[in-house]
Amino acid sequence: MNAAATGATPTEWWRDAVIYQVYPRSFADANGDGEGDLPGITSRLEHLASLGVDALWLSPFYPSPQKDGGYDVADYRDVDPRFGTLADAEALVARAHELNLRVIVDLVPNHCSWDHADFKAALAAGPGSPEREKFIFRDGTGADGSLPPNDWQSMFHGPAWTRVTEPDGTQGQWYLHLFDPSQPDWNWDNPAVRDDFDATLRFWLDRGVDGFRVDVCDALVKAPGLPSWPHLNLGVVRPIDGKFPPMWDQEGIHEIFRRWRGVLDSYEGERILCAEAWLMPDRIARITRPGEMHQAFNFAYLETKWRAEDLRATIDTSLAANGAVGAPTTWVLSNHDVIRHASRFGFDADLELQDGIGADDPQPDRELGLRRARAATLLMLGLPGAAYLYQGEELGLPEHTELPDEFREDPTWERSGHTVRGRDGCRIPMPWEKDARAFGFGDTDTTWLPQPDYYGDYAVDQQSGRDGSTLELYRAALVQRRELGLGGGELEWLPDLPEGVLGFRNGSVAVVANTTREDVELGDRFADATVALASGVGSPRLVPADTTVWLRLAG
Ligand code: NOJ
């Protein structure tokens, strides 16, 4: 058992951890039904151990109608039969701990599924009932209440309100859903909701999990009176006309985080909370204050273009904001909600990719994307703080940008009237073995989303042990990051580098990233250094285009 399981040695392991995100439906399929499952994940945990990560974070595997890929939870304290059983979840945690991997699970507190027993009870109980008080029900506006209570927009497009049919068969109240209509928002002003989530935390903590990634944690509390907000804020939330959206980042969220922190701290070991909140670093750092969450995703970094000056600015603001409250900064380039970075970086021009990439859109250059993705990853892993990886990025896996539209499951595709493609392209089942069925994802030919033919070339068995492969680059980077103490170090910018080149010193290492399309000469300044690792063929004197090098400094 490791420290996480015994609570023996507090290490603040999370400050410089590398945490690997598993998307259960697409990782490994043990029962051959075309969808990944928990036994499949357990059977592949050695891959994570040999990659050298500290922890895995599992996206939701709870009972769910899967209207939003499991972020529509029907029961927070069980396992969906498609993914296995509670015993399978316990076996996964046990095996991970044997391999010295900590396990973080997803907490989805802003909304549940319309299949949740409490929501069904709320519908059945009718207006004014205590059951409805667990959600955000309001009467409609207009003469007959047939207009929504306010002008808020769903993140998946269309109104954020849906009208219900009352038990007596009449058209009745409306309920709020910041996401899909199948995801009713909880009412966090109701103490019963707070108590119920404490029970969910305890349920999983009792089963040995090492923490929670907390879904849209900045939306739990809405501004009193639900004031008008006709805008749709996608990506990192910024004020519009000097005003901040009334559904995000309200002051009341912090007491909830402090309450949860109290629950986690009452357990042995170091169990952590990681905030999913698309906020600017200065607002993020209010969530990572002492006594609240341990860390938060850095989406400002994820959104930063592959440009030296932009990267430097985001790195500076992130480190300053989190540093001021004593929290580590995190870094992330890919997850199950965004275009994989190996594809995002595969365009020469600055394209607007908010609506996703479909078969008829300009296609990324796979070679360019991979080259930059490797460079971006090596830059990220050289930065002090914690880093999050998304399954498949260690293979340099591109987005499936030509997924036929009929396979799309992301609710945004329908709700946007087929204008926003959504996130299916980054959720394609993993390729493990080139010559196996479904590239080793399962032992049948079925996969819930089709894998492009070329995914076989990226399979784990094609890269493992092959010099220069992306998988070996990640493995080497994680070994060296630990040996050189990069995650726990301090960053010092290197002055006078050519335009488009970013360089900093972290302990005994200089990290130099060339974000331009031209090779860059560094002259003699690192003449005494040796290359510890490079995303391409770098040297202390020359960093090729779109390449990052880690230079071990002399003395
Ligand atoms: C963020 C999750 O990562 C995303 O997949 C989901 O659709 C929304 N939150 C709503 O739960």
Side-chain angles (χ1 to χ4, degrees), residues 57 68 71 108 111 156 179 183 213 215-216 276 278 336-337 423 427:
W57 146 40
D68 181 25
Y71 284 92
V108 189
H111 44 262
F156 296 149
F179 293 87
Q183 296 167 294
R213 170 268 189 196
D215 191 66
V216 280
E276 196 239 4
W278 289 74
H336 66 295
D337 290 331
R423 303 159 292 175
R427 300 175 177 179

